[in-house]
DNA sequence: CACATTATTCATACGTGTTATGATTATAGG
DNA sequence: CCTATAATCATAACACGTATGAATAATGTG
């Protein structure tokens, strides 16, 4: 790699790190392009040259932390359906540990303000991981045979993204996140499942429902 | 109503109309608070007094046009499930006729930039309409008896909102909107349905799947 | 090594949503 | 009719994301 590309990669790294740290320290309040640029010791224009927009930077941060805890990919579970919900639980566990950080991240990532017109919220690796799970489930006969798994996966992603959006817009608490996404996943997966596999998913559905109803009652009391 | 409140309501009306017309004529490019205020013949500060934020104005516009075509609420169908998909079709038909208008609307409405932290994307009337449909479906035995309809409705709304977001972010074409939301609805409803009602929903699922696969192939060819 | 090219950074400016500040107007109550 | 008051007004300011052209650094070639 040339010296130029090297320096560029270094700047990129510094910018992502600066954004990550700023979110960690000050929340979304202190996350301005000027602050990011100053912290990364680059000019205000440089992040635009290297990333294109603020949203792209935030998405890079999101990918950065994701890579970190995508290790659960090699978890071994007998049932692929079980693995889906297990992965969900692990993933959202990080959110519960550091809600301010992730809420800011998603808030900026879902910001439709710009003109770029690309989501890029799902990487090829993540796609491959989930797709493999669905393929396995379908081969096991758990899912409808003639269902397009690409569309099913897209639907699950929609549920996930929508829940993040609801969280960001204030319609959801952190402790409701897992149950909310889980309920949506269970609904969709039961809808995609063959009769034999439905009871197990239905059980999860009811579990998440209990959690959500409980936290809703608690919210009404307050 | 006092004369003062009357004048206030008038200004409110003018502001919403100004925003609506500006979106219609210039898209999101010309939709600035200064332009809205000028067009409504009010000061820049007045919209903030009456609505609080730009997003609130846009949501008011969204409600305004919704009221206009909420007449399908009194459509009579035998099957409540059928009515759900029929309402969906009618609703998204308007979007297909005027995509730029609605895309701008949703783009601004989903903008999480502000600090307000309230979604307000669903009004009591809309909620009541959909809830009545679901109650009827459950009483007919179509849906699982012990399923919380509030949560199901919330899930359907998440699918809808997420699809709008995907549209806004550029991951979806206008002509894919109905099939995309429909696929998600069918998945969730089949997941919420009793065995007897599942075949009918499954048929819809496959229909939407065919549409989506077709338009995806067409997109790949280009 | 020196030079011309080109990629990258820089300082600056623009338009945005939003808020603050007094002045000004129109309404409500006596 | 007159005063108190609530609303709007014009204006300026703030911080933000982004666009632009000038300045600067690294690169490949003679």
């Amino acid at each position: 790699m040339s010296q130029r590309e090297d320096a560029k990669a270094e700047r990129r790294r510094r910018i992502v790190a600066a954004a990550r740290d700023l979110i960690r320290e000050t929340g979304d309040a202190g996350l301005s392009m000027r602050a990011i640029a100053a912290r990364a010791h680059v000019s205000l224009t440089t992040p635009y040259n290297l990333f294109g927009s603020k949203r792209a930077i935030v998405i890079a941060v999101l990918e950065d932390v994701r890579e970190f805890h995508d290790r659960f990919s090699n978890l071994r579970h007998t049932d692929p359906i079980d693995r889906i919900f297990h992965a969900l639980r692990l993933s959202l566990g990080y959110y519960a540990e550091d809600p301010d950080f992730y809420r800011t991240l998603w808030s900026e990532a879902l910001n439709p303000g710009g003109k770029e017109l690309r989501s890029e919220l799902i990487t090829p690796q993540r796609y491959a991981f989930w797709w493999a799970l669905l393929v396995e489930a379908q081969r096991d006969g758990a899912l409808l045979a003639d269902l397009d798994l690409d569309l099913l996966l897209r639907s699950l992603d929609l549920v996930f993204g929508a829940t993040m959006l609801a969280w960001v817009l204030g319609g959801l608490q952190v402790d409701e996140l897992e149950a909310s996404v889980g309920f949506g996943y269970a609904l969709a997966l039961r809808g995609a499942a063959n009769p034999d596999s439905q009871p197990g998913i239905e059980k999860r559905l009811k579990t998440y429902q209990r959690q959500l109803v409980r936290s809703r009652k608690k919210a009404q009391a307050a």
Side-chain angles (χ1 to χ4, degrees), chain A:
Chain A
M1 194 188 269
S2 79
Q3 199 171 355
R4 204 167 232 165
E5 292 299 315
D6 242 27
K8 206 151 53 158
E10 233 290 307
R11 270 181 234 115
R12 236 191 279 262
R13 219 173 300 130
R14 283 214 307 270
I15 290 169
V16 171
R20 172 177 19 86
D21 295 346
L22 277 174
I23 297 177
R24 279 242 142 79
E25 294 167 16
T26 66
D28 54 349
L31 189 72
S32 73
M33 287 298 267
R34 284 159 179 88
I36 295 173
R39 179 114 181 190
H41 298 292
V42 294
S43 149
L44 174 58
T45 338
T46 301
Y48 286 99
N49 288 326
L50 299 181
F51 291 88
S53 72
K54 183 182 183 182
R55 209 178 128 237
I57 297 176
V58 174
I59 290 180
V61 175
L62 197 56
E63 286 314 315
D64 198 45
V65 294
R66 265 181 176 171
E67 264 181 37
F68 173 68
H69 59 70
D70 258 0
R71 48 188 176 195
F72 61 74
S73 336
N74 45 13
L75 279 178
R76 289 273 162 260
H77 261 82
T78 46
D79 185 17
I81 302 276
D82 282 348
R83 238 186 297 173
I84 289 178
F85 287 98
H86 192 191
L88 184 69
R89 181 179 181 74
L90 280 179
S91 190
L92 290 182
Y94 288 95
Y95 291 31
E97 281 176 25
D98 203 346
D100 292 343
F101 179 71
Y102 284 97
R103 217 184 77 92
T104 302
L105 223 43
W106 279 108
S107 170
E108 298 282 347
L110 294 177
N111 204 333
K115 296 279 167 293
E116 324 156 39
L117 289 193
R118 272 301 122 200
S119 37
E120 306 290 356
L121 290 180
I122 186 163
T123 60
Q125 310 107 44
R126 284 183 67 77
Y127 181 86
F129 167 63
W130 289 99
W131 201 72
L133 281 185
L134 293 182
V135 165
E136 207 174 330
Q138 192 175 45
R139 206 177 27 205
D140 286 359
L143 300 181
L144 293 173
D146 51 353
L147 190 73
D148 188 293
L149 295 184
D150 212 45
L151 295 179
L152 175 58
L153 181 48
R154 199 199 278 188
S155 249
L156 292 179
D157 271 342
L158 281 189
V159 170
F160 192 90
T163 311
M164 293 302 116
L165 184 66
W167 183 32
V168 161
L169 289 179
L172 228 53
Q173 306 297 320
V174 210
D175 56 309
E176 294 175 306
L177 270 188
E178 192 202 333
S180 188
V181 179
F183 186 85
Y185 273 32
L187 219 47
L189 286 173
R190 185 173 182 272
N194 276 315
D196 290 348
S197 309
Q198 288 190 345
I201 307 177
E202 191 177 337
K203 205 175 149 199
R204 287 190 187 277
L205 192 65
K206 297 296 163 58
T207 306
Y208 289 128
Q209 170 167 312
R210 266 194 304 275
Q211 285 182 40
L212 289 172
V213 169
R214 198 184 318 136
S215 75
R216 196 178 45 186
K217 272 190 184 149
K218 201 178 293 180
Q220 278 178 352

